[in-house]
Amino acid sequence: MADSSKKMSLVGLTTLVMVNMMGSGIIMLPTSMAQLGAISLLSWIVTAIGSMAIAYCFSQCGIYCQRPGGLSAYTEEAHGKSGFFLCSYLYFLSLAIANVAVAISAVGYMTSFLPWLGTGAIPLFIGTVGLLWLTTVANFGGPGITGRIGAITVWGVIIPVAGLSIIGWFWFKPEILVSAWNPNNLSNADAISSAIPLTLWAFLGMESAAQASDAVEDPKRTVPLACLFGTLGAAVVYVLSTTVIQGIIPNEQLANSSAPFALVYAQMFNPTVGTIIMALAVMACVGSLLGWQFTLAQTAKMTADQGMFPKLFSKLNRHNAPLMGMLVCGVLQTLMALSTISPNAAAQFGKLVNLAAVTNLIPYVTALTGLLVMMYKARVSSAVYLRNTPVLLIAIAYSLYALHSCGKDAVFGGALVLVFGYPLYGWLAKRFAVMPATDPARNDTP
């Protein structure tokens, strides 16, 4: 009983899911969505349904697959060792891309404190790379410090965003939202499709919920419910906050802002409050980036431990941090920031979000298909099949639709990265080959 009392409850795990998902992913979204118009808000409905289906299926995968590896382990159930490698490889790249996007978000909010950062492509690049390396070096102290900092700083964005969802309606003007509805004269279908990568970006990270199954009460009940309630709770906050901001700030002003939540608080109250919100957002981004840098290095370490990444990713320093892996990740992210360099933070953010979504969605699809094999091996009842299979089909259908919505450039880039992974695995595959037994009666010598 004592041990059970120390485990996480449904409320605790639901809160954890929401915190993990919200992080810093929301803070640049109002600007990106305003470029499409308020009609883009319709995509939240589609993404919320698809994300809840994905989150539920991953919670089921976590129950039936107890070995380490997360998405890669789920993928291996259906697609073998090559699936494990390709999933880890793409997920690793998606995290690296996402980290660059988070750093750009932080720099966008820092421009009010350091105006030089917003004066062109080079200053934006220098600020982004500086933050990437600052958070990389800060992780050399190990996971303990990273976890404590992240647990505090994440509230710097959650409190303002959730607060806006509640109090922002006192400043909301329907006529501003109506005037911003469809400035580009898009059809509903085109508007939803164009905004899908942006809204999906806010939900990335929902797969982490299933990893806590061994630390919660009654995991077979608690984990699926927490995934659904946590995703739903985050969706409510996302929808309310992005809707209310569209009804306070004129669309043209919002679409050109590098710090949308700071802008709305400054208009609601005064510039000092806006500056405070800006500082909180920067703090949250740095804390979130700190945690995701460690997650990136740990993903590489986990894959290296399986013999699929170079051994240098597995080497730990005395603080239990994969030092060499972090340095390689830092160089990789610097190159990514350079390849997408732009004078406009929102434009660069949008490019990276689309590519991050593609390289994340492919592992989502491969991991989701592993659930069918897991249920078969676990000999689940017909009732479980009938419950899980329709949800799985919704999750896969949404993932494929989201892939299509990311645009041909992002999908083409993701496809090139994926194809490049095959020769990489081909070079490694001999390590996992099972040699046939030698037949002494057979002589193949010519």
Side-chain angles (χ1 to χ4, degrees):
M1 183 67 68
D3 290 337
S4 178
S5 67
K6 294 179 181 178
K7 291 194 171 185
M8 196 177 296
S9 66
L10 174 60
V11 173
L13 186 59
T14 300
T15 303
L16 179 66
V17 172
M18 286 185 64
V19 169
N20 282 348
M21 286 175 56
M22 289 180 68
S24 59
I26 184 72
I27 68 171
M28 281 292 286
L29 281 188
T31 292
S32 300
M33 294 179 74
Q35 292 170 11
L36 296 169
I39 193 173
S40 61
L41 296 170
L42 296 174
S43 69
W44 282 121
I45 300 170
V46 179
T47 295
I49 294 171
S51 297
M52 288 176 67
I54 293 171
Y56 174 81
C57 290
F58 283 153
S59 73
Q60 293 295 295
C61 290
I63 290 169
Y64 296 117
C65 181
Q66 297 296 324
R67 59 196 180 88
L71 298 184
S72 302
Y74 308 159
T75 298
E76 187 177 357
E77 292 287 337
H79 303 284
K81 281 288 183 186
S82 63
F84 187 107
F85 169 79
L86 290 168
C87 182
S88 295
Y89 162 72
L90 287 174
Y91 190 62
F92 169 79
L93 290 178
S94 75
L95 292 181
I97 297 165
N99 283 352
V100 179
V102 171
I104 290 167
S105 298
V107 173
Y109 273 73
M110 288 170 64
T111 51
S112 290
F113 304 107
L114 299 169
W116 176 77
L117 292 173
T119 59
I122 300 301
L124 178 59
F125 170 76
I126 291 172
T128 300
V129 171
L131 267 184
L132 289 169
W133 279 103
L134 175 66
T135 50
T136 296
V137 173
N139 265 305
F140 292 173
I145 295 174
T146 298
R148 285 194 293 272
I149 293 174
I152 296 170
T153 58
V154 70
W155 294 99
V157 70
I158 291 177
I159 291 173
V161 172
L164 183 67
S165 304
I166 299 169
I167 66 172
W169 299 100
F170 292 105
W171 289 265
F172 180 82
K173 295 180 180 178
E175 60 271 21
I176 293 180
L177 179 67
V178 170
S179 66
W181 183 249
N182 194 2
N184 302 314
N185 296 315
L186 299 172
S187 67
N188 288 346
D190 287 343
I192 291 172
S193 181
S194 298
I196 285 290
L198 299 172
T199 50
L200 175 64
W201 163 259
F203 284 96
L204 295 182
M206 57 192 159
E207 69 277 358
S208 62
Q211 308 306 316
S213 59
D214 60 343
V216 299
E217 300 170 0
D218 189 11
K220 289 194 175 183
R221 171 184 175 273
T222 302
V223 171
L225 287 177
C227 283
L228 290 173
F229 292 155
T231 305
L232 181 61
V236 169
V237 173
Y238 290 152
V239 171
L240 292 179
S241 62
T242 51
T243 301
V244 75
I245 200 172
Q246 290 268 18
I248 298 174
I249 307 295
N251 192 70
E252 186 176 349
Q253 192 178 352
L254 185 61
N256 291 297
S257 172
S258 61
F261 283 98
L263 176 65
V264 73
Y265 272 94
Q267 183 156 322
M268 287 162 52
F269 297 103
N270 55 59
T272 301
V273 174
T275 301
I276 293 171
I277 296 301
M278 207 170 297
L280 287 173
V282 171
M283 178 189 77
C285 276
V286 172
S288 175
L289 192 55
L290 191 68
W292 282 112
Q293 289 283 25
F294 196 85
T295 302
L296 175 66
Q298 285 296 115
T299 299
K301 179 186 178 301
M302 179 263 304
T303 312
D305 290 343
Q306 298 283 333
M308 297 188 189
F309 271 16
K311 291 182 179 178
L312 65 87
F313 285 104
S314 289
K315 295 179 180 178
L316 302 176
N317 65 9
R318 60 191 179 89
H319 299 294
N320 208 34
L323 178 61
M324 290 303 298
M326 288 178 177
L327 291 173
V328 173
C329 292
V331 172
L332 174 64
Q333 290 169 104
T334 300
L335 294 174
M336 287 179 174
L338 181 62
S339 68
T340 58
I341 194 167
S342 167
N344 185 292
Q348 190 175 5
F349 178 82
K351 288 181 188 176
L352 289 164
V353 164
N354 286 355
L355 189 55
V358 169
T359 50
N360 217 301
L361 282 164
I362 297 172
Y364 276 10
V365 171
T366 59
L368 286 166
T369 53
L371 179 57
L372 293 170
V373 179
M374 290 180 230
M375 290 193 295
Y376 174 77
K377 289 166 67 174
R379 301 179 185 274
V380 301
S381 65
S382 298
V384 173
Y385 264 115
L386 290 173
R387 182 188 71 208
N388 286 354
T389 303
V391 181
L392 177 63
L393 291 175
I394 292 171
I396 292 175
Y398 170 77
S399 298
L400 295 175
Y401 172 61
L403 268 173
H404 174 267
S405 300
C406 288
K408 60 182 181 181
D409 289 343
V411 172
F412 179 70
L416 282 179
V417 169
L418 173 63
V419 171
F420 186 69
Y422 278 96
L424 288 179
Y425 182 75
W427 180 63
L428 296 169
K430 61 182 181 294
R431 301 180 185 179
F432 312 107
V434 177
M435 298 299 291
T438 303
D439 184 355
R442 180 178 175 182
N443 185 359
D444 291 329
T445 304

